[in-house]
Structure formats: structure tokens, C-alpha cells
Amino acid sequence: MHPRQACCCQTKGGSWVNPSYEERNSSSRTRTGPTRAHTSPGKNTLEEQGSPETRKSFPFPCNLETAGSSVPPKSVHSVRPSDIKFVAAISNVETLPDSGSFDLDKQKWTDQRPQQVCLEVVTVLSDIIRYFNPSVLRPLCTPGKKAVPHTGVKDWRAQAEELVRIMKEDQQLDFQNHWKLINVFFSNSSQDHLCPSTQQQRLAAAEHLDTLAGALDYLHQEVPKAFVNLVDLSETLVVSHWDQGIQLSPAAEPCRDSGETSKLSKMVTQWSYQESWDRLLAASKYNKQESFVVVFQPAFYETPPWGERSLQDPSTLALNLWNSMMKPVGQKDEPFGARERRPVTCPSQENPYLFTYKNSNYLPKLPKSQEKHEVRDGMEITCPDKEPSNTIPTSVHRLKPADIKVIGALGDSLTAGNGAGSKPGDVPDVLIQYRGLSWSVGGDHNLSSVTTLANILREFNPSLRGFSVGTGKENSPEAFLNQAVAGDRAEGLPVQARRLVDLMKNDTNINFQEDWKIITMFIGGNDLCDFCKDPARYSPQNFTDNIGKALDILHAEVPRAFVNLVKVLEIINLRELYQEKNISCPRLILRNLCPCVLKFQDNSTELATLIKVNKQYQEGTHRLVENGRYDTREDFTVVVQPFFEKVDMPKTPDGLPDSSFFAPDCFHFSSKAHAHAASALWNNMLEPVGQKTTQHNFEYRINITCPNQVWPFLSTYKSREQGSYLPCRDRAPSSSTPTSVHALRPADIRVVAALGDSLTAGNGIGSKPDDLSDVTTQYRGLSYSSGGDNSLENVTTLPNILREFNGNLTGYAVGTGNANDTNAFLNQAVPGAKAEELMSQVQTLVQRMRDDHRVNFHEDWKIITVLIGGSDLCDYCTDSNLYSAANFFDHLRNALDILHREVPRALVNLVDFLSPSILRQVFLGNPDRCPVQQASVLCNCVLTPRESSQELARLEAISQAYQSSMRELVESGRYDTREDFSVVLQPFFRDVRLPLLADGRLDMSFFAPDCLHPSQKFHSQLSRALWVNMLEPLGKKTESLDLAADIALSCPTQNEPFLRTPRNSNYTPPTRPAIENWGSDFLCTEWNPSNSVPTSVHELRPGDIKVVAAMGDSLTTALGAQPSNSSDLFMSWRGLSWSIGGDGILDTHTTLPNILKKFNPHIIGFSTGALEETAGLNVATEGARARDMPTQAQALLERMKNHPEIDLESDWKLITLFIGSNDICHYCESLETHSAGEYLQHIQQALDIFYEELPRAFINVVEVMDLAGLYQGQGGKCDPPLAAQSNCTCLRRSQDNSLELQELKQVNWNFQSGISRLSYGSQYLQREDFAVVVQPFFRNTLVPLNSRGGTDLTFFSEDCFHFSERGHAEMAIALWNNMLEPVGQKTTSNNFTYSRTKLKCPSPESPYLQTLRNSQLLQDRSEAGPSALSWAVPVAAGGGLVLGVGTMMVWRAVRGRQQENSPISMNTMSF
């Protein structure tokens, strides 16, 4: 070699020259002795002394105060840059080969001699040091004397002697006391350092040290205070030769035994060579003294971009050498860069010294023993079902793990298994490809010791073939179908795929056409690591296209294959391991293997770009597959497995990155990580698409899940959404056709049918997400209860489940069409159908079954599924009478009666309807997708009411009433009178749990485009839930449906083989305990009276009341409260009257006096019994009107005055006034006489009497009820008698929607409003011992409903006008609670539901009966009425009480009050 080949730089024009040398040392070209730069100590900065290029390229940000030392150091381990006085070098670098080796015209840098290049390097070093120490002397370079490749020991010694002589003679250098920086540049012409073998590396380093020993020994002996850099520039020579295509001589060729020429091999070789030198020097005699040290400085290069040279100019070489000196030994990880000059590294405040082995705390890695490293990362798997399919599957979407016979893999070094079995710290061993440990295809040992996908699959099929064992490259026999290539990028996948296909085709042990294959593809790490070098080559598009090319080969040529496409991992986390200095990692290797991830700053744009590209790689992978490109064949699919998508760096308990998951190079996986990756891949393969784990936690214990018994197949994009797996092994029918429905097995069913509305008709099941108009299409073949499209493998419906038991099943629908089409067959559901139309569907169904030759009407067992009610609820608010719960009950009963009467051998499933609240949540919660502007058209009464509105409360109440009526009808035993017929309520629809996406949004894929009808996914879940319900015994049936859950298809058992009925479930419907009385429980703890008799009515406690009294009409006399002995004689049971009765005690009779007795047992004035003599202070009379109130007031006052036990002046009195029903009934006879003004005037006259003459009085004025809705008979028990109309003239005259009815409503409203103003009037506020309080609980009078949703007649007397004892008890509770509620916050509706614990209690904070003053309200405050309660249904728009029905008329409630200005709708009667 010629001695001029090293250390040149390229000008902008492309010619190889040395600008620094041209400017500095043009006169030195003719010198043959030691070369010294023509500088002087007076020049003290690079900006002053250096070349123009140097000044431009080297900014110096270092802090001089940090870098300088106050006193000269005594130890070489404390030397700072400012302590260096002199920089010199000796060298044997030969830069030119022999003159005949190559064309000299191609060599553009022949004008530089080695000593000139050497001088350039030390001059730049000296210039850098001059920044810290301006007095540094001129540098010196003493080259060897011979320009031949093999410089010997003698020449090195001669150079050292020459250098020492010059230093001693230099008058400016204090040889004994000044610190010197001496650089020894050498080249390794034998190229032994290129061998990856650790032993060869050590031998090469030792040999070279022996060669240099002459010079180093002499320097060590003669030169005090010296820091010696040992710099091997061999790679510069080798790279330059390779760049030029020059072949090294045999003596200079790299070793051939490794066969490894990859980037990884080069990096491992470089690291091993450096480690060998460090180990030698750290232990050598050159590092034993305090005044002398020798440190190896690596001069390795980044692999240059394709086609570019890697040589550097001397200035950049010097800068890289300086930066290496500034890094601790063991952390010199930055390779020299040919394309860029890195910034000058400054001494840090913590470490301001030139680094030596000692101050770097360098501990040489001990040589590893050569015994085999035993790898044990095994698991046990105990899955109950390891069996293959009964027959070899033909669909990849029905593939069980045990069906797999062949396994293969494509990828890079992570699949090749580089370093997977390497011992910790054995970096060179990372070059070994441990394919038998590879996560996706390795087959070493078995699962108990090595966890890999292949070993997991071998637990299911021990005959699996294709896995790799042992070690070797992809072309070794042990690799078998693991064709991953270390270092490969996505562009290499097509070649790998081609090789894999050929191997499978040519292997005689593989049935290429018949055997099912698993192929795992994982690539992308190397693409990302080199992205910044060539963004176009490694673009996301190219990455995806290259994967597509490989998949296209497999798709086109490989039958029966399941391909795992594993997402590229989130590679940015590698930085965490690289940057953690407490982890021992070969950073030189890491930096070179993955420069684009590791070399940029955290906040750099380059790093941000890489993170974005990483994400685009992952997204592109998804797009490539999810468009269905590889799902065109039934026996082939590609599934993206995303468990690597979001990977966090595993940590130790100390919070440090856990390097045990990595091979010794800290880049590849250890066997531990391979085991985790294998389990994560396996679990991903079983997880449904859309629910796959995207972040495997390596810190968790390895968990290998078993195939789901619900779905034991490998999950594909098609498999889970429609089909189901039926695990039942016993699918036989009964030995003979059963005669009892209670002994009916699934296989006995021959006919399936369905009735209902659009849900059963299948509207929108198969519609595309954005095709709203297609919702009108009836996809009957996909309907949950009657569809028969395809088979259970593809479509989950009840018929398809039953066909697994009986292939001769008939009656199911296929395709699309309406109920009249022949393909609808026995699915007679009609879109929009309501309960009243169900009977017509039944009649059509029965006729079809009788007429069709495929049905043996009398012999075949039939399953008929009925689901109805949704359409009724959608229109309920338009006519609450027509769609009442009572009518729903009647319609359903009539339809079931026909089936029961006419259809032999039938089991009827009665299915609950979908809750309106669910429909609202889906439809209104997704305004961007759902057609909210069509809400009133689609389902007006469900979708348009406002939240918390009275209309919505009414809807929920009627919905519950519908459900209760269904249960009541079925549990009545009405349909259990025949041995061959039964109706079973299947309640799975009662509580639906909506599916959510990972981000918390609703998964709308379960709904058709209108957001109301279920999609096929929803129907599949309905089918599964219905089937499970059918096999569950009554009393234990599932009453909920979680749409996101895995619902396993149950199997009949040997002990319970039948479809369940009440009889074979031993089910007895629960009986409600009989209510013995209408008493209440008293739970109050504050019942004492005031400490002294209060003088103010506003401080009146319940216990202070001594006298009770009442005024009013027959509702207060309690007419008809108990049944009479005579049909034409109704009695007044004053002792049971809500406001004044005192019969019994509170435990058995709830009345206001009985409540007050708990506070004051000595209360007087209440009524008892039914006789006038025991009426007490109850002055109410039957038929009374408001005009009678002054008379009643006067009579009451007289009774009090004459009562011997009443102290008129001292006793506190409670009087309840309730009047007005008869006034409204007769207002039309004389508008003036019965006007609201007259009504109010009469009441005020009565109150005036009390105000003027009665001391210490609390007056309850109860608002009149809503009556305006009671204008229409309802039939049934209470046919309207003529007496009713004659007693309520205005009711007889009013007609539906007539002006008279509207007028009646307005009058009712005016009466209530006039009374309500009494609460805020000032006329009764002047006295401290008197108060009038309006109690408004009847303002919104609501009809009490029974469990079927009809009017609960137990609240009413036999005449259907008046209240029964139960009704009086409810009125008493409402009045009492009103009395304890502050004015302005009182309940304005009646809560007529049974409970013994509804009574409110005074509290320590509010112990008084509430008045305007103690409610702390101003007189002008208007009262706000709370919304109606959900237990009752108002008949008209706003509410109302149904007090009578039909002829004797139940009170049906209705008042649609719109706050202040809306008239009331009510029902009315005569009282």
C-alpha cells in the first residue's frame, strides 16, 4: 500500500484535496523529517489560526471555567484539556496500495503524504485544545521511515525515540512538568480484526500491541506526564479499498470462516475489537502509573449510504477523535460519520477530564465460559379442548388450532432468532441465529421448556411440521420453513415468500393442497432503523407495497393458509434502553444498527418524522389487509395481529429498563422476550378482530389462553360477526316422537315460525352502514328467530341452530321480501305491526301451516317465536287509550288464544321487546350518524320527548306495564291446559347492555343505518341469547343481553335434554303476599310536641295539634269506602275518611288523624264508624258544593264551641277543606253561578268565618282534582250508568275534542289556579295564630295502574266514582306529606302506589307544619310544580286522574297542563 491513502476530505467540487493543509503547510511538502505546523503560541484560537473551513465548521460552546483547572494535576486521570501543553503523533498509516493494484487516475488525493495528513489531524486537535489553553505549543507529527505496509517494531521504536528527542530539545516545552497528548496512529494490514470471533479479536489485539510495544515501552519509560491515544485507522483503509473495488491480497483479506458480511456482523466485529483493546490496555503496565496512560480510541465508521464513500477529511477525523476522548471508556458509541461533522463535545462539570480506564470506572467484561447456555422459558397449557374439527375444515374461518399441520415464517433477524440463546454479555454470539427458539416458528424442545407458537400448536397437533430447530441461516436444513433473513427489510419479503412456497411444494412430507398452514410474517424494524438515510426507499408506501407483493405470492399459490401479519413494533422505545447509562449495552452496536432511531435528539424533527412513519407503517399494514384483498378465497386469509402496536419498555423493580428481555447486543430479543412474543401472538390469534390486544405487557407473567368454548376457532375478519360454533355432541331426537311439549328435544322440532314487527321481518339487517334507504328491505333470511340463510357457520339464527340438530327443519325464511312472498314461508312478521294486528298474523300463519305440504300440521312439533310491542310504544302518545297496557294485554291474549286453540304440538317463545330507553340512547346519542331529523316519523313517542319530561316518564311506565302484562298473561296458566302446547316467556331482552368501542363510544356496527333496527351482529347475539334462554329453566332464565359479550351456544345435557317449560322446570309463578290492610308504618323519631304550647302557627309541630276537623263532599264523608251489603245502597264510612277518619290505628288504617295520634294520642274531633252520631267534627255532606262551605264553616264553629273537651282559645286546630268536584260537574247549568270566581268567593267566605272567630287554627285547603278527562266509558266492569251522567250534567254534554270538553278543562284549571293563589294571599297573614295553606297533591291527578297497565280498580269504590279505603289511605299519605313540604316545593301529583313506608317525618331542622312564612317565601314567589311520577299514566297530554271507568267510570286521568297557560284535561264525575 502507498502511505498516502488515509485522511482526506472532499471539496464541494468533488476533488479529493486537503484545504486545511493547502492553507497551512504548503511549504512542508518537501520535508522528509519530522513535520511541525508553522504556528506560534501567540495565536490562541481556532478562529485565528485554523483554516477557513475549520473556523466555519467547528463552533465551540464549551464553558472555560468548567474546562480549566486552577493547579496542574499530578495524575493523568485528572488531566483536563486546559492542562495539555503539547500535541504530537507518530504513525505508520499507509494510504496508498502498491502502484500496480489499481488505476492511479482514480486516485485523486495522491498529492498528500502520510506525514502531511498526520500533521493535519494533530493540528486540528491542537487548535481545539488551544481554545482551552492558548499557550499550547505547535503540534508535531513524526511518521515512519518506510512506506511499506508492514512497519515493524524497530520503526515504531525509532519514531518514538525521534519524538522524545524533539520534545526534550524544545525550549518552550518543560519536558518534565508539561502534560503532553501523544497520538499513535496505526493500521492493521492483516485485517484480522474483521473476524467476528472473540478469540480472533483478542489474538489480533495482542499481536498488534506487541508490534507497538517498542514505541509504547519507550514512551512509557521516557516521557513523564503523557496521555497517549492509540488510534487504529485500519477501517479507513479497508473501506477505501472496498469502495474502489480493490481486492486485498490473501494476507490482507478478511477472515472467511464466519460467512457473515451483514451490517450486524460488522458492528459486532467492531465492538469486539474495541472491547479486546480496552481489556488489554486496562490491564497493561501502561495504566499502572499516575503520570502515564494509554487509551484505545476507536475509529469506526457508520455504514455509508449505498454507493457513497465513507472516507473523511482529516479535520473531521480529528474532531471525531476529540469527541471520543470526551466519552468514558465503554461508552464510546458514536461511530465516525463520513457525511457529517458532529458538534464539539465539551467537558462536563461532573467529568471535566480526558477519560481514562480508571476515571471511567471501566471494568473489563470477563471471558464467558464456553459451556452450552441452557434456555428454559417454558409453560404448561391445560386446555379442555385440544381436538381437531370432526372433519377437515374447508373454510379458514372455521379453523381450530389442532387442524394446523404446517407452520412457517418470514421476516428479519427477530424471526431468525439472532442472539435468542446467547449468554448475557456474549455480544459476538448475537450473530448466531437460534431459529429453534424463534417466537413464531421455533421448535426446540417442547412447550414445557421453550415457549414458541410452534410448540403451543404442537400441544394441539404433535404432528406439526415446518418449525425450525437449533441454529443456522435460512438455507440450513434446521431452518426448514423459517425463511426469515437476518438484516432483511420489507423489500426482501417477496424473495422469502417465493422460497417458502417452493420449499412447501417440494417437501414430500407436506400435502401442499390439503394441509392447513400457519405462516407468520413480521418485518419493518430494519426499514425504520434506516429510514432517515433513504426516506424514499423506506417510505410507508414502499413498505406496504413490498409486504403486499409477498402476500400476493402466498395468496396466489398457497391453498389452506392462515397468515399472521404482525404489526411492526413501536421502535422508539429502544431509545430508553440506549440512553440509560446504568445498563450495560454495546452502544456502538446499537447506534450503528439503528441510527435513525438513536442518533437524533429527543425533540428533533427527524425523530418526530420517524415516529410518524412508524405509525404509518402500522396503519398501512391494516389498510392492506382490512379491505378484503386477501379474503377472496374461503381457504385463505390474512389477519393483522397488533400486539406489538404499543409496546412499553419492560422495567426492573428499580424502574430501569429490563435488559433481560434483550440479547447481549440490547437490540435483538432474548429467549425470554421470544417466549412473551409467542404467547402474545397466540392470544392475538384467538381474540376477535376489533377486540385484539394492541399492547402486550412484557412485565406480566406469560399467559397462554385456551380457545374459547364459545368460539374455538382462530379469529378472522369474517368468522365472528355472523357465524357460531355449536359444541353439542348429542344432537339426536327423542327415540320416538314425543307427545308432551315438556319432553321436547331440539332435534324433535320440525317446523319453525315467527310473528312480530319489523325486527322479526329483518328490516335493515344486511344494509350497508350509509344506505339508509335500504332499511326498508326485509332481510328475512337473516332474522334472529326465523332466518335460514346459509348455515350456522356463516349466519347465526335460531333455525340455523336447530338445523344442526335436525337437517329436515322447515318453515324458516330465506333471502329478502315481504310476508306474502313464498321465501318468507312461516315468518309472518309485518313491519310496523302493532299488537292489535297480531291476531291477523296468527290466522295467516295457521292457514299456511295447514295448507303447506312440507308441514304435517298435526304431527310436526313447532317452535313459534312472538315479539311485539315496539311499534305500539312508538305511537302510544298519539292515542293512549288505543295503545294502553290493557289493550296490549287483550290483543296479545287474543292472538295466543288462537294458537292455543288451533295449533297442535307447539312451543311458543314470547320475547320481551327492546326498551325505549335503549332506542333513545342509541338514536339520540349519535346525531352525526343517525337521522335525528326523522325522529318523529320513525318512532315519534319514543324519540321526541325531552329528557325528564312527563311524556318520557309516561312512556317508561307504559313500557313496564306492557312487560308486566306479558308476564301476567303467561304465568296465569291459561296456556298450560294442553299437554302438547306451552307458552314460555324468554326475558333476555329485558336488560340490554350496549357495546362500546375502546374509546368509549357506542359501537354502531350493531345497528342498521336508521339506528333503530338491529344489524346482523345484533341479530346474531339475539339468536344466541334466545337459544340459551330456551334451554334455561324458568325462574333461572337470563334476563339481560350484553351485546359485546361472547355468548356461548348452550347444549342440552344428559340430565336436562329438553327445551324448558314451566312443568319440566318445576316452576311455580311467585305469588304476591295478600295485603291484609291499608295501614302504614310509622318510622319517625321526632314526634314530641313543643316544650310549651306555641303562640305562632308558624311554629306549630304535629304534636301540638289537639283538634282535627274536615269540610267537603262525599269524598270526605268516605262514601263507598267499604263494600256495602246492598247493591243499591252506598254508605259513608266517615271513620275511614282520609282527612278526618279515626277508626283503628295507623298500622291498619291510614288517615290523617291516625297519623296525628302518633304525635298526640289525645287528639279529638275525628270521625269513627258510619253513623252520623260518631261523625265528630266531620261536617262534610254528600253532594256539597263550594256554596255550601260557609254553612259548613258556621256549623263546624258551633260544634267546636259546644264541644266539652275543646278549649277554643288554647287548643290548636287542624281543619281540612276539600270541595269543587260537584261544582265542575254542574258548571254548565249556570256559568255565573258556577264560575271560578264564585267558587273562590264561597271558599273565602268560609275561611273568613274561621279567621274572624276561630283562634289557633291551621287550615288545609286541598286543590280540586282533575276531572276533565272522564268523558268516555271504558267498558268492562264499570259500564256507565245513567245516574253517572245525570249526576254530572256537564260530563254528559261534553264530547271527544268538543268545545264543551275544552271548556270543561278550562273551568277545572281556573278552579285550581284560584285556590292556589290562597297560599300567597295577604288576607290571612295578619294573625300570628292563623294560617291557610293550599295542599296541591291533586293538581296533576294521575291514574293508578295495575301490573298489566290497566286502571287499578282497588283504589275505587264499587260505584267507580269514589275512593275505596285504599284510595283514602293514599290521599291521607299525600295530604300529610304535603303538610310537611315547604310552600313552593310541595308535590303536585298523587303517588298512588302501595308502600307502608311512604309517610314523611318532621326533622330537627324542619319540625313544623309548613306555612308561607316558615317556608321563607316572599308573597310574590310563584310555585313550581314537580313533574309527574313514572308509576302512573296521564290520559291526556299533561296528566289527570281516572276516578271512574266506563259507566260508573274509572278515573282515567288526563291533564295536559302546559305550565301557566295550558288548559287542563281531566275526567269528571258527580260527588
Side-chain angles (χ1 to χ4, degrees), residues 1270-1384:
L1270 195 62
Y1271 58 87
Q1272 180 180 355
Q1274 299 301 314
K1277 175 183 174 182
C1278 294
D1279 289 328
L1282 296 176
Q1285 298 186 17
S1286 63
N1287 287 336
C1288 197
T1289 307
C1290 303
L1291 175 64
R1292 184 177 68 248
R1293 294 182 179 181
S1294 63
Q1295 300 296 325
D1296 189 12
N1297 295 320
S1298 67
L1299 293 176
E1300 290 85 354
L1301 179 60
Q1302 297 304 317
E1303 187 175 21
L1304 179 67
K1305 294 177 182 180
Q1306 185 63 55
V1307 169
N1308 208 144
W1309 167 249
N1310 293 340
F1311 278 26
Q1312 286 186 326
S1313 339
I1315 287 291
S1316 67
R1317 286 196 290 271
L1318 290 176
S1319 285
Y1320 304 98
S1322 60
Q1323 63 269 43
Y1324 304 118
L1325 298 179
Q1326 305 307 313
R1327 278 176 46 187
E1328 189 67 24
D1329 67 342
F1330 188 91
V1332 174
V1333 180
V1334 174
Q1335 309 300 357
F1337 66 89
F1338 262 148
R1339 181 177 302 170
N1340 292 291
T1341 311
L1342 302 176
V1343 60
L1345 304 180
N1346 58 25
S1347 60
R1348 284 183 5 199
T1351 301
D1352 193 338
L1353 299 180
T1354 63
F1355 286 94
F1356 304 103
S1357 65
E1358 291 176 322
D1359 65 358
C1360 295
F1361 294 167
H1362 298 89
F1363 283 117
S1364 66
E1365 181 185 355
R1366 182 181 184 184
H1368 277 271
E1370 291 296 334
M1371 291 173 68
I1373 294 170
L1375 173 60
W1376 168 255
N1377 290 344
N1378 255 185
M1379 290 166 61
L1380 295 181
E1381 294 167 339
V1383 176

Side-chain angles (χ1 to χ4, degrees), residues 375 420-421 434-439 442-445 450-452 468 470 671 674:
V375 177
Y434 289 87
R435 291 180 182 261
L437 303 178
S438 176
W439 57 291
D444 277 357
H445 306 292
V450 178
T451 301
T452 65
S468 51
S671 59
H674 274 273

Side-chain angles (χ1 to χ4, degrees), residues 648-690:
D648 291 330
M649 177 64 64
K651 301 292 179 62
T652 65
D654 297 329
L656 296 176
D658 191 345
S659 58
S660 67
F661 284 93
F662 295 89
D665 64 351
C666 294
F667 182 82
H668 294 91
F669 288 167
S670 66
S671 59
K672 183 177 178 180
H674 274 273
H676 271 270
S679 67
L681 172 60
W682 167 258
N683 293 342
N684 252 183
M685 290 166 60
L686 297 179
E687 292 168 339
V689 174

Side-chain angles (χ1 to χ4, degrees), residues 1106-1420:
K1106 295 292 182 69
V1107 180
V1108 292
M1111 305 161 59
D1113 54 22
S1114 56
L1115 287 176
T1116 300
T1117 66
L1119 183 68
Q1122 289 221 355
S1124 63
N1125 296 325
S1126 173
S1127 60
D1128 58 356
L1129 179 64
F1130 290 97
M1131 295 179 60
S1132 291
W1133 298 87
R1134 294 177 186 266
L1136 300 178
S1137 175
W1138 59 294
S1139 62
I1140 193 64
D1143 279 357
I1145 59 175
L1146 181 62
D1147 291 347
T1148 57
H1149 298 85
T1150 304
T1151 65
L1152 181 60
N1154 283 349
I1155 297 171
L1156 289 170
K1157 287 179 190 178
K1158 290 289 185 177
F1159 295 88
N1160 179 8
H1162 306 295
I1163 196 169
I1164 59 177
F1166 52 82
S1167 304
T1168 58
L1171 300 178
E1172 184 69 30
E1173 292 77 9
T1174 58
L1177 298 181
N1178 182 349
V1179 297
T1181 57
E1182 297 173 17
R1185 305 182 190 181
R1187 67 191 179 194
D1188 301 313
M1189 290 304 99
T1191 302
Q1192 289 189 19
Q1194 196 64 50
L1196 178 59
L1197 186 60
E1198 290 301 317
R1199 287 193 190 187
M1200 287 184 181
K1201 288 179 179 180
N1202 298 325
H1203 199 292
E1205 299 180 34
I1206 296 177
D1207 184 335
L1208 196 64
E1209 296 296 328
S1210 300
D1211 290 345
W1212 281 99
K1213 310 153 196 82
L1214 176 65
I1215 303 172
T1216 301
L1217 185 157
F1218 181 44
I1219 199 70
S1221 298
N1222 289 315
D1223 295 80
I1224 295 175
C1225 277
H1226 297 281
Y1227 86 93
C1228 58
E1229 296 172 0
S1230 175
L1231 298 181
E1232 282 189 21
T1233 304
H1234 298 98
S1235 67
E1238 288 292 320
Y1239 169 76
L1240 183 59
Q1241 181 180 355
H1242 294 314
I1243 292 176
Q1244 284 179 331
Q1245 289 172 358
L1247 295 176
D1248 289 345
I1249 293 172
F1250 294 138
Y1251 185 71
E1252 293 170 3
E1253 300 187 41
L1254 188 64
R1256 295 194 174 182
F1258 185 105
I1259 314 294
N1260 286 320
V1261 178
V1262 179
E1263 285 189 14
V1264 67
M1265 289 183 291
D1266 292 339
L1267 299 177
L1270 195 62
Y1271 58 87
Q1272 180 180 355
Q1274 299 301 314
K1277 175 183 174 182
C1278 294
D1279 289 328
L1282 296 176
Q1285 298 186 17
S1286 63
N1287 287 336
C1288 197
T1289 307
C1290 303
L1291 175 64
R1292 184 177 68 248
R1293 294 182 179 181
S1294 63
Q1295 300 296 325
D1296 189 12
N1297 295 320
S1298 67
L1299 293 176
E1300 290 85 354
L1301 179 60
Q1302 297 304 317
E1303 187 175 21
L1304 179 67
K1305 294 177 182 180
Q1306 185 63 55
V1307 169
N1308 208 144
W1309 167 249
N1310 293 340
F1311 278 26
Q1312 286 186 326
S1313 339
I1315 287 291
S1316 67
R1317 286 196 290 271
L1318 290 176
S1319 285
Y1320 304 98
S1322 60
Q1323 63 269 43
Y1324 304 118
L1325 298 179
Q1326 305 307 313
R1327 278 176 46 187
E1328 189 67 24
D1329 67 342
F1330 188 91
V1332 174
V1333 180
V1334 174
Q1335 309 300 357
F1337 66 89
F1338 262 148
R1339 181 177 302 170
N1340 292 291
T1341 311
L1342 302 176
V1343 60
L1345 304 180
N1346 58 25
S1347 60
R1348 284 183 5 199
T1351 301
D1352 193 338
L1353 299 180
T1354 63
F1355 286 94
F1356 304 103
S1357 65
E1358 291 176 322
D1359 65 358
C1360 295
F1361 294 167
H1362 298 89
F1363 283 117
S1364 66
E1365 181 185 355
R1366 182 181 184 184
H1368 277 271
E1370 291 296 334
M1371 291 173 68
I1373 294 170
L1375 173 60
W1376 168 255
N1377 290 344
N1378 255 185
M1379 290 166 61
L1380 295 181
E1381 294 167 339
V1383 176
Q1385 299 178 39
K1386 293 181 182 292
T1387 301
T1388 59
S1389 60
N1390 54 305
N1391 179 14
F1392 280 16
T1393 55
Y1394 177 72
S1395 172
R1396 294 185 62 91
T1397 60
K1398 291 195 297 185
L1399 290 174
K1400 293 186 177 182
C1401 295
S1403 66
E1405 300 80 19
S1406 182
Y1408 311 122
L1409 302 181
Q1410 295 293 309
T1411 66
L1412 183 66
R1413 185 184 302 176
N1414 64 27
S1415 298
Q1416 298 180 346
L1417 288 183
L1418 298 176
Q1419 293 184 8
D1420 60 351

